[in-house]
Amino acid sequence: MHSPADLNAPSVASGSSRAPVRVIAVASGKGGVGKTSVSVNLAMALVHAGQRTLLLDTDLGLANVDVMLGLSPQFTLADVFAGRCELQDTLLEGPRGLWVVPAASGKRHMTELLPQQHIGLVHAFCQLDLPLDAMVVDNAAGISDSVLTFCQAAQDVIVVVCDEPASVTDAYALIKVLSRERGVTRVQVLANQVNNAIEGKQLFEKLERVSARFLDVTLHYLGAVPRDEWLRRAIQRQEAVVEAFPGCPSALAFRDIARRAGSWQSPPGPRGGVEFFMERLVAHGAGASTHDPLRSAVA
């Protein structure tokens, strides 16, 4: 059994010479704001834009990314932690070549993993030899350790908010904890299920005012996704709206959001903390390692 300290030293896989993977974590303070729909459609929009993309479901106890895409996984992350399979065995190929790593639903013990197990999962992606340009991480709602770790390990964090007082309050709470406890200094804000563009901008301004006053964090307005009957129909069909109804308002919004995300500056190198695909951020020529951090985490 390895010590927890081993988990903080990333392993290096054979694909270390590849370009860094743009990792985007999608989160929300409150449930029910459409966060998973945002994750699914952002990932599909990135695929449409020519980005080789992986969608990772880290809502470890109430996962539903596979359901939203009509996929039937043989293995999930619960099987990985139980030692029944390797991380690569969970990979599903979705629409247009989108890769999906599903989590489990109704597995309460998955919500009780130790912090070092969350870190172990992040570092396990060092071993995933897959040609990727981007990864979208769909988090659970709230401020659990898993959410904080997976957001910290991403290059960019999108916080989804809708026009409800509790959504705005909880989004601020999430941003505060990410900033003060995990050193996240930049957050993208996405207004979801809005009636018009003005409403979306107003939601962002509410968050920005209070964050600028009390937090050392920069908020950027990523845009708004309109309330759209076509989006509801796509969800019922278990398809991404950008795939099912590509010309509808919400699909156009997701494509615009993916275009903006594609213009974000790539990370120049590792930040010195826990990060997904760490070996693709380190200098070329680093020595290979056979250490499996996920196995260490579950041992």
Side-chain angles (χ1 to χ4, degrees), residues 1 6 32 48 61 70 76 78-79 108 115 117 135 171 175 177 180 202 211:
M1 178 174 178
D6 294 330
H48 279 244
T76 71
D79 297 300
R108 189 168 66 88
Q117 290 176 300
M135 181 167 79
I175 293 168
V177 175
R180 293 182 176 177
Q202 289 174 340
S211 298

Side-chain angles (χ1 to χ4, degrees), residues 27-35 141-142 159-175 189-194 203-204 206-207 210:
S28 67
K30 177 183 178 296
V33 300
K35 170 183 52 58
V159 172
V160 181
V161 63
C162 67
D163 192 18
E164 299 175 12
S167 174
V168 177
T169 301
D170 291 354
Y172 172 76
L174 172 60
I175 293 168
V189 177
L190 174 62
N192 196 30
Q193 303 172 10
V194 299
L203 275 174
F204 169 74
K206 287 179 186 178
L207 265 178
V210 66

Side-chain angles (χ1 to χ4, degrees), residues 195-228:
N195 293 314
N196 53 61
I198 294 175
E199 182 181 296
K201 187 68 172 177
Q202 289 174 340
L203 275 174
F204 169 74
E205 290 170 350
K206 287 179 186 178
L207 265 178
E208 187 183 38
R209 279 195 299 269
V210 66
S211 298
R213 184 176 177 186
F214 297 108
L215 303 179
D216 185 19
V217 61
T218 302
L219 302 189
H220 297 281
Y221 184 49
L222 186 55
V225 177
R227 196 181 305 276
D228 188 357

Side-chain angles (χ1 to χ4, degrees), residues 1-14 80-83 85-88 113-129 149-150 274-279 288-299:
M1 178 174 178
H2 297 276
S3 69
D6 294 330
L7 299 167
N8 296 321
S11 60
V12 179
S14 60
V80 179
F81 278 96
C85 70
E86 302 294 331
L87 179 61
Q88 61 265 27
L113 297 177
L114 299 173
Q116 60 263 37
Q117 290 176 300
H118 299 143
I119 295 172
L121 177 58
V122 171
H123 287 328
F125 278 83
C126 291
Q127 306 287 346
L128 195 60
D129 191 13
T149 297
F150 300 139
V274 56
E275 288 186 76
F276 285 106
F277 297 104
M278 176 71 83
E279 92 291 351
S289 169
T290 59
H291 174 56
D292 186 338
L294 184 56
R295 287 284 175 239
S296 302
V298 300

Side-chain angles (χ1 to χ4, degrees), residues 22-28 139 147-148 150-160 174-175 178 184-190 218-220 222 264 271:
R22 164 64 65 188
V23 183
I24 303 169
V26 181
S28 67
N139 284 277
V147 173
L148 301 180
F150 300 139
C151 287
Q152 178 187 7
Q155 281 87 47
D156 290 281
V157 178
I158 297 174
V159 172
V160 181
L174 172 60
I175 293 168
L178 284 172
V184 174
T185 59
R186 182 180 70 176
V187 171
Q188 309 285 339
V189 177
L190 174 62
T218 302
L219 302 189
H220 297 281
L222 186 55
W264 294 338
R271 298 186 303 267

